[in-house]
Amino acid sequence: MISIQSERKGIELVPRRKQAVIENLMQLYLYDFTKYLDISVNDKGLFPPYPDLDEFWKKRDRRFPFLIKYDGRPAGFALIERVTDDPKADYYMTEFFIMQKYRRSRLGTWAATRLFEHFQGRWKVTQVSINFPAQAFWRKVIEAYTGGKYEEVIESPHNNPSQYFQSKRY
């Protein structure tokens, strides 16, 4: 199992027995997204299940669900896919979430950087076109990580920005 630790911060590949932790955090993530997308809760007050989330435990050779922790407690998650259909990328940051409590603590920057270092290759990170805070976060993180050596492309049909870059080798 992949586990990365540093002082109070941690990242771990989530085993199937802890899948519910990601599912629960996904509710908070989807709530955040109601600012940018038309997502509603059902009659029980829950957001719909994330599409194909279970695939992250079925296809462990190309899908990687990570739990991001602070002081040993869940603080966010990252869903990473190894891609085969994009000639410009090997890995795609499918979803990335840090709970509001931990934002501006550099936890997200730390976690993203460790994941880029762990998965060596070409990366793609995409944001929703009107999610300006996410765009600012990723541009700042990727700029610092690559020294400005990345390409940004506006993807059709929703005009979502995507950054493409290469992992550093240490």
Side-chain angles (χ1 to χ4, degrees), residues 10-72:
I11 303 170
E12 70 177 42
L13 187 62
V14 179
R16 181 171 285 282
R17 73 182 189 288
K18 290 186 177 180
Q19 180 177 345
V21 177
I22 300 291
E23 291 170 346
N24 294 339
L25 288 171
M26 189 64 73
Q27 290 291 303
L28 302 174
Y29 178 69
L30 292 171
Y31 170 76
D32 278 1
F33 257 85
T34 62
K35 292 180 189 176
Y36 311 109
L37 300 175
D38 184 21
I39 305 171
S40 298
V41 295
N42 63 20
D43 292 341
K44 294 180 182 179
L46 296 172
F47 289 100
Y50 182 85
D52 300 322
L53 183 61
D54 199 49
E55 295 297 308
F56 280 86
W57 286 271
K58 290 180 180 176
K59 298 179 179 176
R60 291 308 283 260
D61 59 325
R62 36 185 231 264
R63 294 191 180 198
F64 309 96
F66 285 94
L67 182 61
I68 300 168
K69 293 182 170 184
Y70 191 83
D71 281 342

Side-chain angles (χ1 to χ4, degrees), residues 7-8 30 32 45-46 73 103 129 138-139 145 168 170:
E7 298 177 29
R8 303 171 81 177
L30 292 171
D32 278 1
L46 296 172
R73 294 187 172 278
R103 293 180 192 166
S129 64
W138 284 112
R139 287 176 182 137
Y145 179 75
K168 291 186 199 177
Y170 289 98

Side-chain angles (χ1 to χ4, degrees), residues 76-153:
F77 62 83
L79 301 179
I80 298 170
E81 290 187 57
R82 181 186 309 269
V83 295
T84 57
D85 60 349
D86 188 336
K88 294 172 35 176
D90 302 310
Y91 297 99
Y92 180 52
M93 184 69 74
T94 307
E95 306 295 347
F96 187 87
F97 173 68
I98 300 294
M99 291 172 52
Q100 290 185 20
K101 174 180 181 176
Y102 302 103
R103 293 180 192 166
R104 306 224 182 270
S105 71
R106 303 202 37 85
L107 177 62
T109 299
W110 177 86
T113 300
R114 296 295 123 10
L115 291 167
F116 297 154
E117 290 170 355
H118 182 77
F119 293 99
Q120 292 290 305
R122 300 166 302 153
W123 276 86
K124 176 182 178 181
V125 179
T126 301
Q127 304 85 51
V128 172
S129 64
I130 59 172
N131 188 343
F132 301 115
Q135 291 172 37
F137 169 79
W138 284 112
R139 287 176 182 137
K140 182 179 177 184
V141 169
I142 294 168
E143 169 80 26
Y145 179 75
T146 66
K149 296 179 181 173
Y150 71 94
E151 174 187 14
E152 184 166 297
V153 176

